[in-house]
Amino acid sequence: MAIANAFCISLRSTISDAADSGVFSTLPPQFTASKLQSSAVLHSFSSSGGFVYRRKTYTVSCTLDGVDSLPPALKDEQESASVPLPVVQIIQDTECDATAVEISFGDRLGLLIDTMKALKDLGLDVVKGTVTTQDAVKKTKILITRLDTGRKVEDPDLLENIRLTIINNLMKYHPESSERLAMGEAFGIKAPEKKPDVDVATHIHVKDDGPKRSMLYVETADRSGLLMEIVKIMADINIHVESAEIDTEGLIAKDKFYVSYGGAALTKSLSQVLVNCLRYHLRRPETDEESY
């Protein structure tokens, strides 16, 4: 390590000459890229006889025989950037009698045996599972049904429990995922450094899905209990939730709800009321809620 440090100090003092001479391209193979930054001040005479200063910043490698000489702050930055995006999708296919759940976390997921056991504790049966790899991302897809009926899960409360159970197990067996999940702030080993702006992240749309129901799409910053909050708002204005599809992509929730009013699709005016209610509730600061 002392040799590596000595090399780095020497490198800082000669970096301006080395950059122009091309020596960076001839470093020995044991010196690999790792964000050592240094500045070189170059000067020359201007036409008026004064000095002109130009500053250049170079990024150079500096590890020796596999021993990383980066400062801890840069190490943390590299590790954070390497944490893949955790994704949990709950999909309702009209042509399938089971609810599909797709989970991915880069290439780090195993067989998810403990997650399947946790789902069975919720009264669910895992009837099928497949694993596929696409663009270096391993996706695990399982089909689940209710043990009591053998049919797909349509209860929003149970769908939220499924989502939270999967995320809890993800943070338990892959603790590094907490920094890219909203629940990591309360239950993870490392909270997310940057939270999405709720005003920017929130998008709400309603469109007809046939004559008897409408599809509500809600995209917003994720948080625990979000699904039930949305369902409660709809219940308060007598909108019936027939089914839901849940998509959690890191800190963002992208949910679809298939809803109806009096057995029919929502009217244009009712759709606007629903959008306004949701937008007000989802964008409202937590301090407003506490003030009631």
Side-chain angles (χ1 to χ4, degrees):
M1 182 62 72
I3 296 175
N5 290 336
F7 173 80
C8 293
I9 293 171
S10 175
L11 187 60
R12 291 189 186 97
S13 64
T14 60
I15 190 167
S16 59
D17 295 333
D20 294 331
S21 63
V23 72
F24 293 159
S25 62
T26 60
L27 286 175
Q30 65 265 36
F31 293 98
T32 56
S34 62
K35 284 192 178 178
L36 169 65
Q37 293 190 343
S38 182
S39 297
V41 179
L42 308 180
H43 60 271
S44 60
F45 284 102
S46 68
S47 58
S48 60
F51 279 104
V52 176
Y53 292 90
R54 293 179 291 116
R55 179 176 294 274
K56 292 185 178 180
T57 302
Y58 301 97
T59 300
V60 191
S61 63
C62 193
T63 62
L64 182 59
D65 296 331
V67 180
D68 199 345
S69 60
L70 282 177
L74 287 180
K75 286 184 181 180
D76 293 340
E77 181 182 341
Q78 284 188 336
E79 291 173 1
S80 177
S82 66
V83 175
L85 179 69
V87 177
V88 178
Q89 291 181 298
I90 301 178
I91 306 164
Q92 304 283 29
D93 188 344
T94 56
E95 298 181 357
C96 182
D97 291 331
T99 297
V101 180
E102 189 170 280
I103 312 165
S104 64
F105 185 51
D107 60 354
R108 305 187 184 189
L109 292 182
L111 296 177
L112 300 180
I113 294 176
D114 292 284
T115 298
M116 293 183 191
K117 288 180 180 178
L119 292 175
K120 287 186 177 181
D121 291 339
L122 295 177
L124 303 169
D125 184 27
V126 180
V127 296
K128 185 179 180 181
T130 59
V131 178
T132 59
T133 301
Q134 181 178 0
D135 297 329
V137 175
K138 184 187 295 184
K139 297 181 179 180
T140 300
K141 184 176 182 179
I142 57 177
L143 299 180
I144 57 177
T145 59
R146 299 183 62 129
L147 280 172
D148 54 355
T149 64
R151 299 184 63 83
K152 68 173 59 177
V153 181
E154 295 183 326
D155 177 20
D157 193 8
L158 185 52
L159 289 172
E160 176 72 344
N161 285 336
I162 292 171
R163 184 181 80 95
L164 296 180
T165 296
I166 293 172
I167 291 176
N168 280 331
N169 274 269
L170 185 59
M171 290 194 299
K172 179 179 179 180
Y173 296 101
H174 298 276
E176 71 277 13
S177 66
S178 67
E179 66 181 272
R180 303 203 66 181
L181 289 164
M183 291 180 61
E185 184 173 5
F187 305 106
I189 61 170
K190 184 177 180 181
E193 294 182 0
K194 296 182 180 179
K195 298 180 183 178
D197 187 313
V198 177
D199 287 339
V200 175
T202 299
H203 305 280
I204 306 169
H205 308 286
V206 179
K207 67 177 183 179
D208 288 343
D209 188 51
K212 294 186 177 181
R213 70 177 189 177
S214 299
M215 190 276 288
L216 166 68
Y217 175 79
V218 179
E219 178 177 332
T220 190
D222 186 33
R223 60 177 180 262
S224 179
L226 174 65
L227 178 60
M228 294 313 301
E229 292 176 21
I230 296 174
V231 171
K232 183 180 183 301
I233 291 170
M234 288 189 280
D236 288 343
I237 52 179
N238 298 318
I239 292 177
H240 175 63
V241 180
E242 298 180 2
S243 183
E245 295 185 3
I246 315 302
D247 184 357
T248 304
E249 298 182 10
L251 300 174
I252 301 296
K254 301 178 180 180
D255 301 338
K256 292 180 182 178
F257 300 88
Y258 296 93
V259 300
S260 62
Y261 180 80
L266 306 189
T267 62
K268 185 176 181 180
S269 59
L270 184 56
S271 296
Q272 190 60 53
V273 170
L274 175 59
V275 170
N276 291 342
C277 289
L278 288 170
R279 183 175 288 117
Y280 169 77
H281 179 83
L282 296 175
R283 291 180 173 180
R284 187 179 60 192
E286 295 179 1
T287 51
D288 287 355
E289 187 173 346
E290 294 173 356
S291 64
Y292 285 97

